[in-house]
Amino acid sequence: RCHTVIVEEKMSTKEIGDFGENIASRYLVEKGYDIIKRNYRVKAGEVDIIAMYSGVLVFIEVKTRKNSDFAYARESVNIRKQSRIRNVARSFISENYISYESMRFDVIEIYTDNKYIQHFKDTF
């Protein structure tokens, strides 16, 4: 059975973000990723999803928007945000003993009006 999820106009920014992260997590699992942690938060900031894929430790920022009328969602992951995510990644690695061959930083953008998901790998 197919279920259509409708994003209500009254959803808060946090609810829309959580909605997008749930979609992104399901997408990643379908693609063979193992989700290690969601919403990993330290003083330096937060990473939406941390996953493992074929020995690669992947830190993923999820951006959910209704549409791309004003800008692409990925454009909000600017230099400052990238720096924060790198610092959070350092904290995660130092606190968790995880074996990995390499790591990368991805961005997933989701548009709710046309149910479009785009995965940008190794973006920064």
Side-chain angles (χ1 to χ4, degrees), residues 6-20:
I6 298 169
V7 178
E8 297 178 28
E9 295 294 326
K10 305 273 187 220
M11 288 178 77
S12 71
T13 303
K14 170 136 178 42
E15 289 170 327
I16 292 170
D18 291 345
F19 172 77

Side-chain angles (χ1 to χ4, degrees), residues 29-42:
V29 168
E30 287 174 10
K31 298 292 182 188
Y33 288 72
D34 293 316
I35 306 296
I36 296 170
K37 187 83 173 156
R38 286 184 54 180
N39 303 112
Y40 176 75
R41 195 178 311 260
V42 292

